[in-house]
Amino acid sequence: MLREVTLGLAMFVVIGPASAQDRTVNVYNWSDYISPETIAAFEAETGIRVVYDVYDSNEVLEAKLLAGFSGYDVVVPTSTYLKRQLAAGIYMPLDRDQLPNWHNLDPDLMARAAAYDPDNAHAAIYLWGTNGIGYNPAKIAERLGPDFVVDSWSLVFDPEIAAQLSDCGISFLDSPSEMFPLALNYLGLPPDSVASEDMEQAEALLLSVRPVVRYFSSSQYISDLANGETCVAVGFSGDMLIAADRAKAADRGVDVAYAVPKEGGMLWFDMLAIPSDAPNPDEALAFIDYMLRPDVIAEQTNFVYYPNANEAADAFVDPEILADPAIYPDAKTRELLFAQPVHDARGDRALTRAWTQIKTGQ
Ligand code: SPD
């Protein structure tokens, strides 16, 4: 299971054989979210050159897409964002005749995704996952005692507990649409609420722990947890397992674990979609169809530790990964999950305003 994920936030281009230069697909995906071998294999098999660029939040992706003429052919919005972006007409319907591997998708999971994209007309599930807490067990034990169990969001949302970790470093995701639902849920409020009285409470909670948050980032925590620079991060499930893997590979005595807290973790689906103004829609469909191949999508799960939605892929997924509830949530963990909320423009503005206050600590 030891491997190094090398795809960071930098843009990179993988050049295929000379004959591949005529056709191109421009892919914009989350950082640390693909096996590099996949791109080379796709190029070799199809002769289509891949130009690959990465982001680490839905907010960044949405800003580019709404501005128009992004130049991207395949993008990977989270289903909640896809829903509101569909209302803006920025995706083209998928031509299923060009997706012969579509039938591999798990009907139950696709039915869930259809809540965001009726009839799954515009997008296929790429990978999915949860938001929870990544942590360094030894550093937590040193500060909170050997019997302390990481099973509650109080680790990062209770100022008294969080303060005891300030010297070893806490990081939060740099996204209001990720952090507010978690804070609201911890307070026992509806995670999708943007009612001012609820938002005020969530904002007060986040501000109360703001002094002990070392930084806000949705990607940097992978390397910082892995090398022991920080001891707690609120982040995405697979990223924590990548951090654990990197820590093991470095062999410097750092361990990283992941917990979905008992108050609930957030569940989401990331979707493969084609912007309406994509310059190369045929190549985009070829790329998406390649990703729907059981062996190919299993390779992503094996490499980045996020579950896929491809029924036939299980045969190709490492059995240790399939059995790991941190990756494929078991029935007990699933009971703790709530779906990431969809916010409309008004809700989004409220979140962004509050987020600015929190980040500046006001
Ligand atoms: N490094 C890959 C992270 C993927 C996260 N995707 C979506 C999160 C939505 N909550």
Side-chain angles (χ1 to χ4, degrees):
M1 250 165 87
L2 286 187
R3 255 147 323 184
E4 180 88 8
V5 179
T6 52
L7 307 183
L9 270 175
M11 178 175 163
F12 67 92
V13 177
V14 182
I15 310 283
S19 61
Q21 302 307 307
D22 301 332
R23 299 178 73 199
T24 298
V25 62
N26 301 294
V27 179
Y28 195 36
N29 193 2
W30 293 80
S31 51
D32 297 293
Y33 218 27
I34 196 166
S35 155
E37 279 100 45
T38 300
I39 293 173
F42 171 79
E43 289 185 326
E45 192 169 311
T46 62
I48 300 171
R49 185 174 74 114
V50 178
V51 179
Y52 195 88
D53 196 0
V54 297
Y55 53 91
D56 72 354
S57 77
N58 277 299
E59 285 85 348
V60 170
L61 169 65
E62 184 168 87
K64 288 214 181 177
L65 292 177
L66 292 181
F69 305 106
S70 66
Y72 296 119
D73 298 304
V74 178
V75 293
V76 192
T78 300
S79 50
T80 45
Y81 273 75
L82 176 86
K83 180 171 177 163
R84 70 185 205 192
Q85 291 160 357
L86 281 170
I90 61 172
Y91 294 113
M92 65 173 68
L94 295 179
D95 176 359
R96 297 262 184 98
D97 290 343
Q98 292 196 61
L99 296 171
N101 284 309
W102 185 271
H103 68 96
N104 292 318
L105 287 163
D106 180 319
D108 289 342
L109 291 172
M110 286 303 282
R112 282 179 186 239
Y116 307 95
D117 172 26
D119 302 325
N120 303 117
H122 300 83
I125 299 176
Y126 175 53
L127 298 170
W128 55 280
T130 57
N131 286 16
I133 300 178
Y135 62 99
N136 179 320
K139 291 194 176 187
I140 301 291
E142 270 165 32
R143 286 156 184 82
L144 298 172
D147 299 328
F148 188 90
V149 179
V150 176
D151 65 354
S152 167
W153 285 108
S154 59
L155 187 75
V156 292
F157 288 153
D158 179 327
E160 277 183 27
I161 300 178
Q164 296 175 64
L165 304 171
S166 59
D167 70 313
C168 66
I170 298 179
S171 74
F172 279 3
L173 287 164
D174 187 8
S175 160
S177 62
E178 306 288 349
M179 292 303 302
F180 264 96
L182 298 175
L184 287 160
N185 179 66
Y186 174 68
L187 291 167
L189 298 167
D192 61 344
S193 179
V194 284
S196 47
E197 58 280 16
D198 295 345
M199 288 286 292
E200 274 162 27
Q201 288 187 60
E203 190 175 339
L205 176 78
L206 291 166
L207 276 171
S208 72
V209 290
R210 173 67 187 89
V212 297
V213 176
R214 190 172 287 174
Y215 63 79
F216 295 85
S217 168
S218 303
S219 49
Q220 188 189 330
Y221 61 86
I222 300 181
S223 51
D224 284 349
L225 279 176
N227 61 28
E229 280 294 311
T230 53
C231 66
V232 177
V234 176
F236 308 128
S237 49
D239 289 5
M240 304 306 181
L241 296 148
I242 294 172
D245 230 17
R246 285 192 192 173
K248 229 181 272 171
D251 198 20
R252 286 199 297 258
V254 175
D255 277 332
V256 179
Y258 177 66
V260 173
K262 60 183 177 212
E263 299 88 355
M266 199 156 77
L267 169 75
W268 41 263
F269 298 98
D270 285 336
M271 312 297 299
L272 294 160
I274 307 178
S276 320
D277 57 4
N280 308 294
D282 289 339
E283 288 72 15
L285 285 161
F287 187 84
I288 291 176
D289 194 57
Y290 189 72
M291 286 300 179
L292 299 183
R293 246 172 60 178
D295 57 326
V296 173
I297 197 65
E299 188 185 334
Q300 313 320 313
T301 295
N302 288 337
F303 196 79
V304 296
Y305 304 124
Y306 285 94
N308 61 71
N310 190 308
E311 274 188 317
D314 284 5
F316 300 93
V317 174
D318 180 337
E320 217 183 307
I321 290 179
L322 267 185
D324 187 341
I327 303 174
Y328 281 87
D330 54 16
K332 199 167 142 245
T333 313
R334 277 201 299 270
E335 277 171 23
L336 301 176
L337 300 176
F338 62 90
Q340 184 160 15
V342 184
H343 298 106
D344 60 14
R346 192 183 65 87
D348 205 38
R349 276 196 298 278
L351 288 177
T352 308
R353 253 194 319 271
W355 193 239
T356 309
Q357 312 276 356
I358 289 157
K359 283 184 69 180
T360 54
Q362 287 165 357

